Amino acid sequence: MKNIIIIASALFTIVSCEKKEVQKENLSLNLQKGFEQTLIYSTSTTGNNNGGMNDATEVKYIIDSVDKDSNYYVTGEIMRMTYNQKMFGEEIHFDSRENTNSDEEFGDEFKPLINNPFTFKIDKYGKILEKQKFTKEISGDLNADQYNIIPVVFPHEAIETGFTWKEDTSNPLTKSIMPVSSSFTYKGTKDNKIEVALNSKMEGGAIMKDTDIEGKYIFDAKTKSLISAERNMPVQMGGGTASFTITPKAKGF
C-alpha cells in the first residue's frame, strides 16, 4: 500500500509539472501621450595606443500622440553634442554650448542638427514606420536615423526566457561599408526590469576583420522604456576597447 501511495504521488508531481505553463513576456511598448525622456548617447575608447576619443549626444523625446493601432508619433530634438579626440598627435574639442571649440569646421558640420526638432513614427514594437524628418531642412549627408526612443525592435510574439531574435542594427551612415547583424536574447525580468543581451558581428570588408560586439539593454518592465544600454567591441587599429552607451540624462551634462 505504501509503495502505491509513493508511485501515485510521483505521477501526480510529473503531471503537475507538465501542466505548468512557462511564463511569457510581451515586449511591446506601453507609453502614454506626453511621455518625455532625455537620453545621452555616448561613445568612448580606452586602452588604444593611438590615443582616444569620446563623444556624447543629448536627445530629448516626447510622445505627441498614440493612435488606435498603438503607433507612436514622436518628436525628438538634439539638445547638445560634445566630441573630444586626442589621437595621432591631433586634438579636437567640440561642445555645442561653447564658442571656443578647437575645430570650427567640425562644429559647423553638425550645428544644423542641434535644436532642430525632428518627428517620426514607430509601431508599438519600436520599428520606425516613418523616418525622422527635421523641422528645418538639413544637408542630405546628415540624418537622425540612429535616434529612436528605444534602441531595438521587439519581437511581435510573447516570448519566454532564452528567446532569441535577429535584427540588422547597422549604422545608416556606414551600412554599405560595415553592415552589422545582431542577435538579441531575452534574459528575463527581475526587480521590475527586463534584460536583453546583445551579440553582434560587424563585417570588416576588404580592409578589416569581422568584429564581435557584446552588450546588454535594460528596460522598464511596465512601460518598456529604456533604462540603460551598453555595447562593447575591440578596436582593431591600436587595440583597446570601444564602448557605446545610452543612459537617461543625469545632472551635470
Side-chain angles (χ1 to χ4, degrees):
M1 183 67 179
K2 184 178 179 180
N3 289 337
I4 293 176
I5 293 174
I6 293 173
I7 293 172
S9 177
L11 289 173
F12 177 78
T13 301
I14 292 172
V15 171
S16 298
C17 290
E18 288 178 346
K19 289 184 177 181
K20 185 178 180 180
E21 293 185 2
V22 176
Q23 186 173 357
K24 293 190 175 184
E25 179 73 40
N26 186 329
L27 296 186
S28 61
L29 290 167
N30 182 28
L31 303 175
Q32 303 299 316
K33 177 183 176 180
F35 175 84
E36 292 187 18
Q37 187 175 34
T38 300
L39 300 176
I40 307 295
Y41 298 75
S42 302
T43 307
S44 62
T45 58
T46 56
N48 189 286
N49 295 328
N50 297 322
M53 59 78 65
N54 63 77
D55 65 55
T57 302
E58 173 187 342
V59 186
K60 179 181 179 180
Y61 298 98
I62 183 169
I63 303 298
D64 297 320
S65 62
V66 185
D67 67 21
K68 60 181 179 61
D69 297 317
S70 296
N71 296 317
Y72 293 83
Y73 297 80
V74 189
T75 293
E77 185 174 0
I78 299 174
M79 309 300 292
R80 183 184 183 188
M81 298 180 74
T82 68
Y83 182 86
N84 293 283
Q85 174 186 301
K86 190 175 182 180
M87 190 173 292
F88 302 111
E90 181 182 18
E91 292 189 34
I92 297 175
H93 169 74
F94 171 74
D95 187 332
S96 60
R97 291 183 181 174
E98 298 177 1
N99 295 319
T100 57
N101 296 301
S102 62
D103 193 326
E104 290 297 333
E105 185 177 346
F106 180 91
D108 290 341
E109 180 181 357
F110 289 99
K111 282 178 181 177
L113 298 174
I114 302 166
N115 301 126
N116 184 5
F118 55 88
T119 57
F120 60 102
K121 175 184 175 182
I122 61 175
D123 65 14
K124 63 182 179 179
Y125 304 106
K127 181 180 179 180
I128 295 177
L129 302 178
E130 294 178 4
K131 68 178 298 183
Q132 293 85 340
K133 182 179 180 181
F134 282 91
T135 302
K136 299 176 184 177
E137 188 175 351
I138 61 171
S139 167
D141 296 333
L142 301 173
N143 63 64
D145 289 2
Q146 66 267 43
Y147 300 124
N148 193 350
I149 198 165
I150 60 169
V152 302
V153 177
F154 293 132
H156 287 210
E157 65 268 39
I159 62 176
E160 59 189 68
T161 301
F163 179 87
T164 296
W165 69 99
K166 297 183 181 298
E167 182 186 344
D168 177 0
T169 57
S170 302
N171 185 317
L173 297 176
T174 60
K175 184 174 181 177
S176 61
I177 305 172
M178 296 179 292
V180 180
S181 57
S182 298
S183 295
F184 298 90
T185 302
Y186 172 58
K187 305 296 286 186
T189 302
K190 183 178 181 181
D191 298 329
N192 297 315
K193 296 178 182 178
I194 288 172
E195 180 177 340
V196 174
L198 165 74
N199 296 94
S200 301
K201 184 175 289 293
M202 181 174 70
E203 295 182 21
I207 301 174
M208 303 175 69
K209 300 178 181 178
D210 291 353
T211 303
D212 292 320
I213 305 169
E214 304 289 334
K216 69 176 181 179
Y217 299 83
I218 305 295
F219 301 92
D220 179 82
K222 182 179 180 180
T223 65
K224 309 307 185 292
S225 58
L226 181 70
I227 295 176
S228 66
E230 179 180 353
R231 302 197 302 265
N232 297 289
M233 59 179 282
V235 180
Q236 294 186 29
M237 296 181 64
T241 302
S243 298
F244 176 78
T245 63
I246 310 174
T247 54
K249 181 181 178 180
K251 291 183 179 180
F253 183 80

